[in-house]
Amino acid sequence: MDNNDSNGANRESRQHAERQIFEQDRVTIVPYPDSQAGKPITRAEVQDANTTYGFSIGNAENPYSPFSSRMDWEIAQWAKLRGPSSTAFSDLLSIRGVSERLDLSYKNSRELNVIIDKQLPGRPTFRREQIIVAGEAFDIYHRDVLECIKALYGDPDFADYLVFAPERHYTDDDETVRLYSDMHTGKWWWNTQKKLDKQRPGATIIPVIISTDKTQVTLFRNKTVYPVYLTIGNIPKDIRRKPSRRAHTLLAYLPTTRLEHITNKASRRRSVVNLYHACMARVLSPLEKAGLDGLAMHSGDGILRRCHPLFACFVGDYPEQVLATAVKTTECPKCDIPPDELESSTAPFEIRDLHAILDALATIDVGDLEFVQACRDAGIKPIVHPFWERLPYANIFQAVTPDILHQLYQGLIKHLLGWLAQACGPNEIDARCRRLPPNHHIRLFMKGITGLSRISGTEHAQICCFLLGVIIDARLPGNMSSTRLLRAVRGLLDFLYLAQYPCHSSETLSLLDEALVLFHDNKEIFIDLGIRNHFNLPKLHATRHYVSMIRFFGTTDNYNTEYTERLHIDLAKDAYRATNRKDEFMQMTQWLERKEKIVRHAKFIHWRLHNNVPHHPSPRPASLSFDRTQTLAKHPSAKAVSFRTLISDYGATYFREALARYIVQQNHLDESLSRSRLEALAANVHLPFHSVAVYHKIKWLSVDTRGHGDPLATVDSVHVMPCRTSACRKNDALPARFDTALINNGTGQSVGVEGYRVGQIRVIFSIRERDAQFLFPSTHQPPKHLAYIEWFKPFPSTPDSRHGMYKITRSVRSGERLASIIPVSNIVRSIHLIPKFGPVAPRHWTSNNVLEECDAFFVNCYIDRHSFVTLR
């Protein structure tokens, strides 16, 4: 079999695997065999959380109680969630007549705080404790971990979506292809339920997910806070990953001291680690008894179950993982692979032996020397009672999860950018970045990317959308072939995108391994170019654990550190800014408690005012499907644009001829017209108008497919507009923009390019109803919105074997671009085309003219997950 045949076979098998999880018409769900798992306690009376909350308020008549009126409540809500500082709010209310005319029950911020603190229920309160390490006392602010779990588990917003027992999902009735998505579809929950059933059958497991990450809250004074966040795996991941749903709770603020009073560096480092574990052990110690014995908990609908909160996942970046697992820096926190073999894709490894490590930790009572030696032999630092030592059913080395943000975006991709700058030259890479055509998904770095500093994870993600495309054909030192370079970059990017699938099957997980193999097979190019000496990077080795972790805990969007990075803004940085910088943690915790109480009361009021209507959605498993709704503006951007203007300003050179052909085709749907016959009939079409209404934008909105109440959001768009004057600067002309799009001929499927074609949209327009009735048969009236498209040639049979992208050129006949009219509904999505730059990017090309100047393009399959699945 030649190379093309092999690539074709691999592509077909990949498309088959992805189509199975893209087109989930029916998922075979195998419930846990013991029906008692996750079952309610039947003897308990049922009273939902909102009703219980209402009783605690005590005023059945006034839904805003303890506030006297809607005005009283809404001003309080604004002051705590949107308003100015407490002093400014008090100053506002102190203006003569303001408080009286608004009929407020409080005269200043202090009185409002008293109402919130004493009369509104909320999540658990913080308490301050002292931890003594190395003879020094340190303050820790934390909540009761069990009360925090109860608050999340009992939140009425999550009641309809909670999962109480593990399941196995399959794509087929034969149960041969397993699916992994939410946490309850992974092996950990199933296996742990079996272990727990041997001791306490009928249990409901609550997987506890802990995340820690020190963050800076000031720009100049280097002030840091060390928050600990908690969430539970019973809440679906699509809800947990949205900060606005408040499915995470702040559990603690750990001490941030560097222990600079300890002069010996080794002793200082050891004390810092012991302080961390002592604090975490204090916070999580209630899980020991509750995890074994269970405790009765009410979910938001009032149903009572015997719940066992078990430590399941630890989410953090590499320094946090090393700190939590007590391994040495440069080592893998999960397995025993030697540091000098981290670069290998085949070196064997085993997950660290928890029992051997616990035995080593137990020698602390024998003597200091014996303890240190036992820990060294076990491969960990000598930690006095790590926080996970006594947690039931916990294995910290299994609990450490993949970290997309820090391992991939801020790790390997960051390294890759530096390597490529050395290989291809920073000036050439930057020149190509400045000449990319615009697209909804593409951020144009008009100053290039090689000179950026302090690049965020979001910016690395934006760069990944075009990174492979801009190095195609780039000249390497010594005119070395770029084949291995392209394949290495492609392998790493494929792994990055595959790792973020919201649903995986046992077959698509093999694609992760294949992508990793592709990188490892070609990474030597960086050594040959003199850029690297080795690849012993812990973050590169961590990619070998992704497949097993997805099988264990579900897909990576169950435990992404990107979510907790966003929480820093709400729960750390904003909280710090609300203080006077003196005894800040006491003020931060009070500020957070009050804010949480206001948010909870707002939800209760909404429930009271909307007739207490329960919402019971039918759960739908996660998939790769991209349900979206196409929409255009209600009114046209321009009501009457003449044909002459369409030609001169929009570039629709043959608009009238294309429209005439479309009219003929719609009037002869039952005939197969030859090209000459079609042209002859079109020449005789008389158009009773000389202008059309024009639209400048198509948008695609997300669809709440899983019934989680997600708001609509724009996920894609196409811009079609001529050169125009800036609304802000009258003398500045905004360049014309005519985006390219993927168009379905009626046979396109969810995966693969068959049945699709690329076109550049020149005009989006509509025909007046009376004109349409005159030109088209009554049985085949045209859709409201039509588009004039300039076509590119059909996709070739296979993409380029080096970089995996399809190369296309414009469709031309007798030197003129081929164009036609199509229904806008045939336009599936936007498409980004990367110009074929050649060895050196032509300097007369710009982002605005490159689609006109360039002759050949590569179809970019990395702009989002949909394009990645469809166009590879």
Side-chain angles (χ1 to χ4, degrees), residues 599-660:
V599 170
R600 176 66 184 95
H601 198 56
K603 293 178 180 178
F604 169 74
I605 291 173
H606 182 272
W607 175 79
R608 278 285 306 269
L609 296 179
H610 290 78
N611 301 319
N612 310 346
V613 177
H615 175 59
H616 299 292
S618 55
R620 177 178 171 181
S623 71
L624 279 183
S625 62
F626 297 88
D627 294 324
R628 52 186 68 189
T629 301
Q630 186 188 78
T631 181
L632 283 85
K634 182 178 181 180
H635 302 291
S637 305
K639 292 183 178 180
V641 179
S642 67
F643 291 177
R644 182 176 298 178
T645 302
L646 293 180
I647 294 171
S648 61
D649 293 358
Y650 289 78
T653 309
Y654 302 102
F655 179 81
R656 189 204 174 282
E657 293 82 354
L659 182 56

Side-chain angles (χ1 to χ4, degrees), residues 560-764:
N560 193 344
T561 54
E562 187 175 354
Y563 311 150
T564 53
E565 290 286 336
R566 176 61 182 81
L567 292 176
H568 287 337
I569 298 174
D570 297 331
L571 305 182
K573 297 180 180 181
D574 286 350
Y576 181 78
R577 294 188 188 107
T579 71
N580 62 7
R581 285 36 168 194
K582 298 176 182 178
D583 194 17
E584 61 270 8
F585 287 106
M586 181 68 72
Q587 297 177 61
M588 290 167 67
T589 53
Q590 285 182 341
W591 183 86
L592 288 169
E593 288 171 6
R594 289 165 182 160
K595 187 174 181 178
E596 288 174 345
K597 288 182 177 183
I598 291 293
V599 170
R600 176 66 184 95
H601 198 56
K603 293 178 180 178
F604 169 74
I605 291 173
H606 182 272
W607 175 79
R608 278 285 306 269
L609 296 179
H610 290 78
N611 301 319
N612 310 346
V613 177
H615 175 59
H616 299 292
S618 55
R620 177 178 171 181
S623 71
L624 279 183
S625 62
F626 297 88
D627 294 324
R628 52 186 68 189
T629 301
Q630 186 188 78
T631 181
L632 283 85
K634 182 178 181 180
H635 302 291
S637 305
K639 292 183 178 180
V641 179
S642 67
F643 291 177
R644 182 176 298 178
T645 302
L646 293 180
I647 294 171
S648 61
D649 293 358
Y650 289 78
T653 309
Y654 302 102
F655 179 81
R656 189 204 174 282
E657 293 82 354
L659 182 56
R661 287 195 297 269
Y662 180 75
I663 293 170
V664 170
Q665 290 170 334
Q666 296 302 304
N667 280 276
H668 296 80
L669 289 173
D670 298 332
E671 300 181 41
S672 178
L673 299 174
S674 65
R675 193 173 75 190
S676 58
R677 171 71 171 157
L678 176 62
E679 294 292 346
L681 292 172
N684 295 322
V685 172
H686 171 70
L687 298 178
F689 52 89
H690 300 284
S691 64
V692 290
V694 169
Y695 299 79
H696 286 170
K697 191 175 184 179
I698 307 173
K699 292 197 299 185
W700 284 267
L701 304 178
S702 60
V703 177
D704 183 21
T705 55
R706 302 193 69 188
H708 291 160
D710 298 332
L712 293 177
T714 301
V715 294
D716 196 8
S717 66
V718 165
H719 295 258
V720 183
M721 55 187 71
C723 182
R724 61 213 181 277
T725 303
S726 172
C728 301
R729 299 178 181 178
K730 298 298 182 183
N731 295 327
D732 291 350
L734 298 178
R737 177 172 170 181
F738 300 99
D739 286 354
T740 50
L742 187 67
I743 296 154
N744 191 343
N745 67 7
T747 63
Q749 300 183 19
S750 56
V751 178
V753 298
E754 186 176 351
Y756 294 102
R757 195 168 172 181
V758 175
Q760 185 178 19
I761 307 175
R762 285 290 181 177
V763 183
I764 304 167

Side-chain angles (χ1 to χ4, degrees), residues 97 104 141 166 174 336 472 603 632 872:
L104 302 181
Y141 291 80
D174 296 332
D336 59 1
I472 297 174
K603 293 178 180 178
L632 283 85
R872 283 162 51 243

